[in-house]
Amino acid sequence: MRILGIETSCDETSVALVENGKTILREKTHSQVMVHREFDGVVPEIASRQHLVYILPVLEEVISVEEMKGVDAIAVTQGPGLIGSLLVGLGVAKALAYSFGKPLIPVNHIEAHLYAPHLFADIEFPYVGLVASGGHTLLFLVRGFHDYEVLGSTIDDAVGEAFDKLAKVLYLGYPGGPVIDKLAQQGDPDAFTELGRRPQLLPDTGKDRYNFSYSGLKTAFTYRIQHLANLESKLPHICAAFQREAIDLLLRKSRNALEDHGISRLVISGGVSANSYLRQRVEAWQKEGIQTFMAPLAYCGDNAAMVAGRAYHDAQVGRYGDLRTDAYSRLGFVKKGKRAV
Ligand code: KG4
Ligand code: ZN
């Protein structure tokens, strides 16, 4: 089954053709990052207009009108995401579905992120799934593609958002994650002594055992760096200290979920799974018998291959949309509790 996937939820315009949820036949992603960099973050209206400009040229590079006949279904990100951006992808997907007489498969963006590592490995269930991106931080207990529970989530900012906000106050540009990651590699987290004690992030007990919180971390760092002399020379240490706190919290909560459920398989996805410190740490867990799965760097962030891949499994359970399918900006059906197919 060949599925054409379309992703326009945030600031990447992406189209991919994927066979049987596994083989990426063709793909193209146009990143808007250079346009948004000027504003230190994604400007929703500019994002949707950029999608409008690039979606058909990107589509054209992936597939010709003639080749559309060989496609079995059109998959598209339905939400969550920036509503104006989603509407561009959905509008194009629905027009393609209508004009070529193909079924439409609306895909949840979080489920698509969680699927990205499945494109590259055969992953058995159950596993603990962590989605860490610019908009979401969610921990799942996953028993099957359509059988999962949300164990916890952030109670304030998303982890990627915290990287982006710290980068903004340090004038490091957007997106913050990659630049903080790079600077941190030359820094020593313990050398940023001005931070004082390591901040106490959410405890591991009670209702917050699987939850995350990042606004306190951002405030602690912003407060400490405000009047710092020689800020420039301390940047690598600041970045290393921040990165350690932010990533260690992700790993601690994931570890809680693995231990409590007696599971030794962890899948991490979303933009923040590209973080080099995170990848090093979880790779070391393999020695302890914990299998860890992450997508290659190019598939940690938003891409259409994960949308088309995920859609293959949605098609298996008959989860199709129709010409009235709407978009949604918030989490949609991924809520606390069990996923209803
Ligand atoms: O998944 P994604 O591309 O978009 C959303 O759905 O949000 O994630 C983007 C986020 C941004 O906040 C970005 O700063 C972060 O992922 N990110 C990173 C790294 N690369 C991207 N965060 C930490 N370390 C990285 N290497
Ligand atoms: Zn995303």
Side-chain angles (χ1 to χ4, degrees):
M1 186 179 194
R2 286 187 174 192
I3 299 183
L4 184 78
I6 297 178
E7 153 63 35
T8 63
S9 69
C10 190
D11 60 346
E12 325 281 349
T13 312
S14 184
V15 177
L17 186 62
V18 176
E19 194 159 51
N20 297 334
K22 264 297 197 250
T23 314
I24 304 169
L25 299 174
R26 251 178 272 162
E27 64 185 318
K28 172 83 187 166
T29 299
H30 170 82
S31 173
Q32 304 176 3
V33 80
M34 294 312 285
V35 180
H36 298 291
R37 191 160 277 171
E38 196 183 326
F39 305 94
D40 277 340
V42 177
V43 182
E45 181 175 335
I46 296 177
S48 33
R49 295 168 79 147
Q50 285 280 300
H51 287 306
L52 191 62
V53 171
Y54 286 101
I55 185 73
L56 291 179
V58 167
L59 175 74
E60 206 178 20
E61 277 198 46
V62 171
I63 195 160
S64 67
V65 170
E66 195 51 37
E67 288 166 324
M68 279 300 297
K69 291 184 193 123
V71 168
D72 297 297
I74 313 291
V76 62
T77 307
Q78 185 183 21
L82 301 173
I83 206 76
S85 294
L86 291 165
L87 295 183
V88 176
L90 269 159
V92 168
K94 290 168 89 169
L96 289 174
Y98 175 69
S99 50
F100 290 99
K102 309 288 179 187
L104 180 78
I105 309 176
V107 173
N108 179 282
H109 186 61
I110 307 296
E111 291 180 349
H113 268 305
L114 205 48
Y115 188 78
H118 287 268
L119 285 166
F120 307 95
D122 293 321
I123 309 172
E124 282 173 47
F125 298 104
Y127 60 76
V128 169
L130 171 70
V131 176
S133 73
H136 301 93
T137 315
L138 287 155
L139 197 59
F140 296 94
L141 172 59
V142 186
R143 296 191 192 87
F145 287 117
H146 303 92
D147 182 5
Y148 61 78
E149 271 172 61
V150 178
L151 296 173
S153 62
T154 179
I155 59 167
D156 40 56
D157 292 351
V159 57
E161 189 181 354
F163 273 92
D164 296 338
K165 284 181 175 171
L166 182 74
K168 193 170 175 173
V169 298
L170 291 172
Y171 302 103
L172 296 175
Y174 174 84
V179 54
I180 290 180
D181 186 347
K182 201 159 173 229
L183 277 165
Q185 286 168 26
Q186 302 135 37
D188 171 4
D190 292 314
F192 181 42
T193 46
E194 291 88 344
L195 180 66
R197 279 193 309 134
R198 292 182 68 173
Q200 281 296 310
L201 302 176
L202 283 189
D204 287 332
T205 49
K207 66 174 176 39
D208 287 324
R209 187 156 169 80
Y210 309 125
N211 282 341
F212 308 90
S213 167
Y214 284 102
S215 76
L217 186 65
K218 176 199 67 195
T219 310
F221 274 78
T222 309
Y223 180 73
R224 292 293 176 206
I225 60 183
Q226 244 167 18
H227 304 290
L228 216 56
N230 303 322
L231 181 67
E232 191 91 359
S233 66
K234 289 175 186 152
L235 275 178
H237 302 323
I238 297 170
C239 291
F242 174 83
Q243 176 174 272
R244 181 175 67 180
E245 298 308 328
I247 301 296
D248 281 0
L249 185 68
L250 289 180
L251 300 180
R252 216 176 74 208
K253 301 299 181 154
S254 303
R255 199 75 194 220
N256 289 345
L258 289 168
E259 282 168 16
D260 294 356
H261 296 90
I263 292 174
S264 54
R265 216 171 282 120
L266 177 66
V267 173
I268 311 181
S269 55
V272 181
S273 65
N275 185 269
S276 58
Y277 169 71
L278 178 144
R279 292 176 92 94
Q280 272 164 26
R281 291 250 359 237
V282 296
E283 260 142 43
W285 288 6
Q286 308 257 20
K287 294 191 195 86
E288 293 178 51
I290 299 173
Q291 277 185 290
T292 55
F293 298 91
M294 286 167 292
L297 295 187
Y299 298 88
C300 292
D302 295 341
N303 66 85
M306 67 186 190
V307 176
R310 168 72 204 190
Y312 173 74
H313 296 274
D314 287 346
Q316 307 302 307
V317 295
R319 203 197 284 165
Y320 288 101
D322 58 33
L323 296 183
R324 286 200 169 79
T325 294
D326 199 1
Y328 52 81
S329 58
R330 293 189 174 268
L331 266 186
F333 39 68
V334 185
K335 291 243 173 69
K336 218 163 180 127
K338 252 193 137 177
R339 165 76 156 98
V341 175

